[in-house]
Amino acid sequence: MTPTVLVLSTSAQLFETSARRFTAAVGEAIEARGTAHVALAGGSTPAGLYERLSQPESRARFDWKRIHIWWSDERAVPPDDAASNYGMARDSLLRHLDLQPGQVHRMVASPASLEASARRHEEEVRGAVPMEGEWPRYDLVMLGIGADGHTASLFPHHPELAVVDRLVAPVMNAPQWPRLTLTLPVINAARNVIVLGAGITKARAVARALTGEPGPDCPASLVRPDPGHLLWIIDEEANRIRGGSLPWE
Ligand code: 6PG
């Protein structure tokens, strides 16, 4: 699956383009199956997208009552903690929407029982996200990329990269917080994957992810949905090495 890469000049263009692509993927799913299952990305970059989606003109583009909100990963912190991916999405998007509780599937990551948290969320996914073959097929998985090439909570050379028999994995020795993450087979089973990247700190990771062979040194390079679609939406800063305006080494 060759990724489509969109390079935008400004943050406003990045988030408007991302909002339109998000809306297109969700609209297609609702049209085809009556429901859309979307896993939101964590970190800070997507906040601009979620704020854009929360605006009236974006909200009007599809029936939000038909969307199920999931997460690609979550830190093992309380939902009101500034590090919570759920908290960020709630504050920038969900609180503006009139969603029913059953539409929002928070990835509850309890630090004291992360394995049990992973199993619980996996059961929730299995009970709601339509299976195709052996994997649940999200209509859209949103991802970010770290400066080290991690995506979701899949970190370079970490054992979770090799997990192929689970939907959700606990990540005990992750930087800063223990976490839960969707596994690569689930991400790569999605109909659409959109990876957002912004800023010069991501330039090396973006260049590595989009050139050369996929490898465990850069988990984002292992995101290869098939037959789903892979779209990277990055700004010019994040493109500066891949785009050739900065030396690779
Ligand atoms: C997480 C995220 C992670 C994020 C990248 C980029 O929970 O840490 O899911 O994969 O997307 O670290 O984060 P920023 O957008 O904050 O740079």
Side-chain angles (χ1 to χ4, degrees), residues 198-204 235-241 246:
I200 192 69
T201 63
K202 309 297 176 70
R204 181 174 301 280
D235 68 4
E236 286 176 351
E237 286 298 282
N239 191 51
R240 283 185 64 190
I241 292 180
L246 278 181

Side-chain angles (χ1 to χ4, degrees), residues 40-46 72-75 83 85 142-148 150-155 176-177 179-180 196 198 201-202:
L40 298 183
S44 55
T45 302
S72 308
D73 70 328
E74 183 58 279
R75 294 88 177 263
N85 289 338
M142 298 295 302
L143 296 172
I145 182 169
D148 64 353
H150 80 262
T151 191
S153 284
L154 297 165
F155 290 88
Q176 295 177 283
W177 315 274
R179 301 147 176 256
L180 293 183
L196 289 186
T201 63
K202 309 297 176 70

Side-chain angles (χ1 to χ4, degrees), residues 9 63 69 75-76 95 107 150-151 201 205 231 241:
S9 304
D63 180 0
I69 300 286
R75 294 88 177 263
R95 69 188 176 90
M107 201 180 240
H150 80 262
T151 191
T201 63
L231 169 61
I241 292 180

Side-chain angles (χ1 to χ4, degrees), residues 21 119 183 197:
R21 294 298 183 122
R119 301 255 178 231
T183 57

Side-chain angles (χ1 to χ4, degrees), residues 206-215 217 221-222 224 248:
V206 166
R208 169 64 191 90
L210 290 172
T211 54
E213 286 304 305
D217 62 304
S221 72
L222 299 170
R224 289 280 190 278
W248 175 259

Side-chain angles (χ1 to χ4, degrees), residues 57-90:
E57 66 273 19
S58 285
R59 291 210 310 267
R61 288 180 186 149
F62 60 81
D63 180 0
W64 285 84
K65 298 245 178 303
R66 294 180 174 274
I67 192 170
H68 283 261
I69 300 286
W70 304 83
W71 275 262
S72 308
D73 70 328
E74 183 58 279
R75 294 88 177 263
V77 297
D80 290 327
D81 188 299
S84 168
N85 289 338
Y86 164 80
M88 185 272 278
R90 176 198 60 205

